[in-house]
Amino acid sequence: EEQLLESGGGLVQPGGSLRLSCAASGFTSNNYAMNWVRQAPGKGLEWVSSMSGTDGSTYYADSVKGRFTMSRDSSKNTIYLVMNSLRVDDTAVYSCAKSFGLGVSSSMDLWGQGTLVSVSS
Amino acid sequence: QSVLTQPPSASGTPGQRVTISCSGSGSNIGGYTVHWYQQFPGTAPKLLIYTDDHRPSGVPDRFSGSKSGTSASLAISGLQSEDEAYYYCSAWDGGLRGVVFGGGTKLTVL
């Protein structure tokens, strides 16, 4: 069974850093585009970052560009999101999602349950 | 403000047909495929429609998607109480070089 399990969330002060992990099982994440999507409390879905399955290119929302970095460890079948210079408005549940295909424009057909990131002093 | 525009709410009675619209531009819906997600409160989103009008295995054929120009629609026929959820459209945006989501539509079954 294909699954995604996120970890690494928690409470952090403004300006702090966190590294989120997304462990994939039941499939090889290298063979698909992978994504991070967040949802602030009571708000809608907001795309954060994507990594292409073809060449590993990464794409970021303007709101996180320069502060967040997405990467993957093929040996661990895990993707990461390193978040620096965190702001209060980064508070959200962060979910990773597998794309249907290699391309970043593909639909997201498998989602994890998410990990909560709270940024507060 | 979301790049893709959806009505914040929609409603219908059991058995009715309901449509949810999603409006964008040439850089997203007009140039790329549209996907729809269903989300119940406190749970992960679920892919409902992909590539404009395709249903993943297991999604009832009561759900259908369509696209014309820079707009897309999700239709739910034979509305059931368990369809009460949030619905989001999304597409790749070639200008922004990223995924864009609609603001979401809360569907209420009266």
Side-chain angles (χ1 to χ4, degrees):
Chain A
E1 182 189 3
E2 297 183 344
Q3 285 187 331
L4 294 168
L5 183 62
E6 302 93 338
S7 60
L11 175 63
V12 61
Q13 291 187 335
S17 299
L18 277 178
R19 187 182 80 159
L20 305 184
S21 300
C22 172
S25 59
F27 69 99
T28 302
S29 62
N30 265 6
N31 295 338
Y32 302 90
M34 297 295 294
N35 312 272
W36 286 99
V37 176
R38 69 185 181 183
Q39 189 167 29
K43 302 295 184 182
L45 302 176
E46 181 187 11
W47 171 75
V48 173
S49 179
S50 294
M51 177 176 283
S52 168
T54 54
D55 60 5
S57 297
T58 50
Y59 304 83
Y60 300 95
D62 285 344
S63 58
V64 308
K65 201 172 292 182
R67 300 188 299 124
F68 290 12
T69 302
M70 184 176 180
S71 63
R72 71 181 359 148
D73 184 332
S74 302
S75 66
K76 296 182 178 179
N77 207 19
T78 297
I79 65 169
Y80 301 97
L81 185 69
V82 173
M83 305 184 296
N84 296 319
S85 303
L86 282 162
R87 309 190 296 224
V88 171
D89 61 359
D90 292 320
T91 294
V93 172
Y94 286 72
S95 299
C96 66
K98 165 188 166 286
S99 285
F100 183 73
L102 289 166
V104 291
S105 65
S106 302
S107 58
M108 300 179 196
D109 64 350
L110 177 69
W111 295 67
Q113 285 301 313
T115 185
L116 176 62
V117 173
S118 295
V119 185
S120 174
S121 53
Chain B
Q1 188 127 1
S2 303
V3 173
L4 303 183
T5 300
Q6 296 180 236
S9 63
S11 63
T13 56
Q16 204 172 19
R17 183 176 187 270
V18 170
T19 62
I20 297 172
S21 62
C22 176
S23 177
S25 69
S27 64
N28 42 66
I29 293 178
Y32 297 88
T33 56
V34 177
H35 318 299
W36 291 89
Y37 302 90
Q38 178 190 57
Q39 186 183 35
F40 297 102
T43 69
K46 169 191 169 185
L47 179 63
L48 198 63
I49 297 289
Y50 67 98
T51 317
D52 300 338
D53 56 8
H54 292 74
R55 277 187 311 276
S57 173
V59 173
D61 59 7
R62 301 186 296 105
F63 294 90
S64 62
S66 63
K67 187 177 86 170
S68 178
T70 59
S71 293
S73 291
L74 172 70
I76 309 171
S77 60
L79 197 62
Q80 299 180 4
S81 58
E82 55 260 42
D83 298 333
E84 191 163 285
Y86 290 85
Y87 294 86
Y88 296 90
C89 60
S90 82
W92 180 260
D93 190 299
L96 296 173
R97 289 171 61 81
V99 175
V100 290
F101 283 98
T105 298
K106 181 179 182 181
L107 175 63
T108 301
V109 181
L110 302 169

